[in-house]
Amino acid sequence: MSQYFHHNSVRVVSNSLFGTASEALYARLKKIKRKDVECQKFFRKVLKSSFFQVLMISAITTNAAFMVLKTDYNIHYRMFQIFEISEILFVSIYTCEFLMKVYVDPIKYWSDGYNLLDVVIIFIILIPYTLRKIKGRLYKNLNIADGIQSLRILKLISYSRGIRTLITAVGQTVYTVASVLTLLFILMYIFAILGFCLFGVVERGDLSNWGNLASAFFTLFSLATVDGWTNLQEQLDQRKFTISRAFTILFILLASFIFLNMFVGVMIMHTEDSIKKFQRELMVERHVTLLEEKQVILRRQQEEVNRLITTKKTGGKTFTELVEEFKKTLRHTDPMVLDDFGTSLPFVNVYLSTLDNQDNTLNKLQELYYEIVNVLCLMLEDLPQKKSSHSSELLI
């Protein structure tokens, strides 16, 4: 026991030393000041530009389409030179992208998993050229190297936040899915042993489906996916296995209706959580962008106000003239970055016209109210006279 703790302590100390050494190395490299800061900013701006992203997405999709066309022998034979030139172009684009990213941030580049995926894809691209150079064009495993070139399309992942969100959701479900798959394997192991003992007997058993443990596992996988399970059950019914129907129904209920649906449910739950998190991040980014634009507009307007105040002190202009000059500096796009729709110019125009209409309506209602009051007053004045005339008639 003491030896066990001693080894664990040594491992913890070694890990901490490695982490401290890596942090110290990173801090030392970070202190190094680059002399090409302007060039670095330029390439960073190019990498973050929408034009570069559209260019890379177009290149990757076009490369994937060309790989589809190359699967047809006649098209590949007729367009051989075009395919060769395009291959050189695509490899050059991927290499330039890699070099630009490494140049912009040579340290943090290797800490991003998607960048490491791009590096792996570049190595995969170089495999066929290396094999043709070393082993020749007639190497027997060259077709495998050509086949894995389809992994180039995975470069789209780094340019699609939606795909990255789904991959994050899948990564978060690893432990839960592993638990579900472990339970499913245990269930299949139990039923495989049971099916081998019941239906794999040498005399009258179904040896092709239940003759050994491997075939029993494969049969149970077919039952779990509910693929051709009726044919498997017919073969057992032909051999007069009365318990086979209860066995099949019980396994399908447990494997297909419970465990596989549990697997799908876990994936859906984590995917929804990742999508909600992705939407919150988009809202935060949009809010930050609006705040930055507001600050730029407020800074510009403050500069204009300061300039007008300085002009008033030196030129002696009136306040009305300053306001008119300040109005000329305003732009129609300024209010559009604000959160409240009521601050936009079209809404202000509509709102003011609505207020005018409300004022007219209130004036008309007020006139109507005065007329009603006048009519009521006249009615009240006539009412006592009618009463007095009626009382005099009674006395007579």
Side-chain angles (χ1 to χ4, degrees):
M1 183 67 70
S2 63
Q3 185 179 2
Y4 174 75
F5 282 111
H6 177 70
H7 284 298
N8 276 349
S9 62
V10 172
R11 183 177 299 174
V12 171
V13 171
S14 63
N15 289 335
S16 62
L17 290 175
F18 178 75
T20 306
S22 61
E23 290 178 358
L25 179 62
Y26 178 73
R28 183 174 296 179
L29 291 175
K30 192 175 181 180
K31 291 180 180 179
I32 299 175
K33 295 182 179 180
R34 300 182 58 164
K35 298 180 180 179
D36 53 347
V37 178
E38 296 297 330
C39 187
Q40 182 186 13
K41 290 181 179 179
F42 172 75
F43 280 108
R44 181 180 284 111
K45 186 177 180 180
V46 171
L47 290 173
K48 292 183 179 180
S49 63
S50 58
F51 174 76
F52 181 80
Q53 294 181 359
V54 171
L55 176 64
M56 291 302 303
I57 292 173
S58 303
I60 296 168
T61 52
T62 306
N63 191 7
F66 276 25
M67 293 186 68
V68 172
L69 294 175
K70 287 172 68 175
T71 56
D72 191 333
Y73 178 78
N74 294 326
I75 297 177
H76 190 190
Y77 179 76
R78 284 187 283 118
M79 301 175 62
F80 179 78
Q81 293 183 350
I82 297 176
F83 286 141
E84 290 295 322
I85 296 172
S86 64
E87 183 69 16
I88 296 173
L89 178 62
F90 293 138
V91 174
S92 302
I93 291 174
Y94 299 154
T95 307
C96 290
E97 179 205 16
F98 167 73
L99 295 176
M100 289 171 63
K101 288 184 177 180
V102 173
Y103 174 77
V104 168
D105 202 340
I107 300 175
K108 290 185 178 180
Y109 178 83
W110 307 100
S111 61
D112 191 353
Y114 298 108
N115 292 334
L116 297 178
L117 177 62
D118 292 340
V119 174
V120 171
I121 291 173
I122 289 176
F123 278 109
I124 290 173
I125 292 173
L126 298 177
I127 289 175
Y129 299 99
T130 306
L131 291 178
R132 288 188 178 94
K133 191 71 176 178
I134 298 175
K135 300 292 184 179
R137 294 182 176 273
L138 300 179
Y139 183 59
K140 60 179 181 180
N141 294 326
L142 191 60
N143 56 347
I144 299 175
D146 291 333
I148 62 176
Q149 298 302 311
S150 59
L151 297 175
R152 298 181 185 185
I153 199 171
L154 294 179
K155 288 181 66 66
L156 284 174
I157 296 175
S158 58
Y159 293 97
S160 176
R161 295 187 63 180
I163 298 177
R164 293 201 301 269
T165 302
L166 294 178
I167 292 176
T168 304
V170 173
Q172 292 175 352
T173 61
V174 170
Y175 297 106
T176 308
V177 169
S179 301
V180 175
L181 293 179
T182 302
L183 290 175
L184 181 61
F185 175 78
I186 293 172
L187 178 70
M188 292 180 66
Y189 173 79
I190 294 171
F191 275 83
I193 298 294
L194 185 60
F196 171 76
C197 296
L198 293 177
F199 314 127
V201 293
V202 180
E203 293 80 9
R204 60 188 185 89
D206 187 4
L207 300 180
S208 61
N209 294 320
W210 303 95
N212 52 54
L213 194 62
S215 59
F217 263 103
F218 186 77
T219 303
L220 289 175
F221 182 78
S222 300
L223 292 177
T225 57
V226 200
D227 182 21
W229 71 274
T230 54
N231 297 327
L232 297 173
Q233 184 59 41
E234 287 179 0
Q235 294 179 11
L236 295 177
D237 290 338
Q238 291 174 1
R239 291 172 173 81
K240 307 298 182 182
F241 288 112
T242 56
I243 199 175
S244 62
R245 294 192 175 185
F247 177 88
T248 303
I249 292 173
L250 180 61
F251 180 78
I252 290 176
L253 287 175
L254 292 175
S256 180
F257 289 92
I258 295 179
F259 284 98
L260 292 182
N261 288 330
M262 188 186 303
F263 174 79
V264 174
V266 168
M267 295 295 295
I268 291 174
M269 289 174 57
H270 284 274
T271 303
E272 288 181 352
D273 294 339
S274 298
I275 291 174
K276 291 179 181 178
K277 182 179 178 181
F278 175 65
Q279 291 176 350
R280 289 195 297 268
E281 290 177 355
L282 287 180
M283 292 296 295
V284 170
E285 290 181 0
R286 179 178 178 273
H287 184 66
V288 171
T289 304
L290 288 175
L291 288 178
E292 292 177 354
E293 293 181 355
K294 287 179 183 179
Q295 293 298 326
V296 172
I297 291 172
L298 291 175
R299 194 180 302 113
R300 181 176 58 81
Q301 292 180 355
Q302 185 65 33
E303 292 175 356
E304 293 292 335
V305 171
N306 294 332
R307 187 180 62 82
L308 291 175
I309 293 175
T310 306
T311 305
K312 181 179 182 300
K313 292 179 179 179
T314 57
K317 293 185 178 180
T318 62
F319 180 76
T320 305
E321 294 175 349
L322 291 176
V323 171
E324 293 297 329
E325 290 184 2
F326 179 71
K327 287 182 180 179
K328 294 178 181 179
T329 62
L330 297 177
R331 303 173 184 174
H332 292 286
T333 57
D334 289 353
M336 301 306 292
V337 299
L338 301 178
D339 294 332
D340 190 5
F341 177 72
T343 58
S344 61
L345 291 178
F347 179 82
V348 171
N349 292 329
V350 174
Y351 181 70
L352 292 177
S353 61
T354 304
L355 289 178
D356 293 335
N357 292 329
Q358 287 181 355
D359 292 336
N360 295 329
T361 304
L362 288 175
N363 291 330
K364 292 180 181 179
L365 289 174
Q366 191 173 8
E367 292 176 359
L368 180 62
Y369 173 75
Y370 289 153
E371 292 179 1
I372 292 173
V373 171
N374 187 20
V375 172
L376 290 175
C377 290
L378 293 175
M379 291 175 64
L380 290 174
E381 291 177 357
D382 295 335
L383 184 62
Q385 295 179 0
K386 290 182 180 180
K387 287 185 178 181
S388 60
S389 61
H390 182 68
S391 60
S392 60
E393 289 176 358
L394 289 176
L395 292 175
I396 297 172

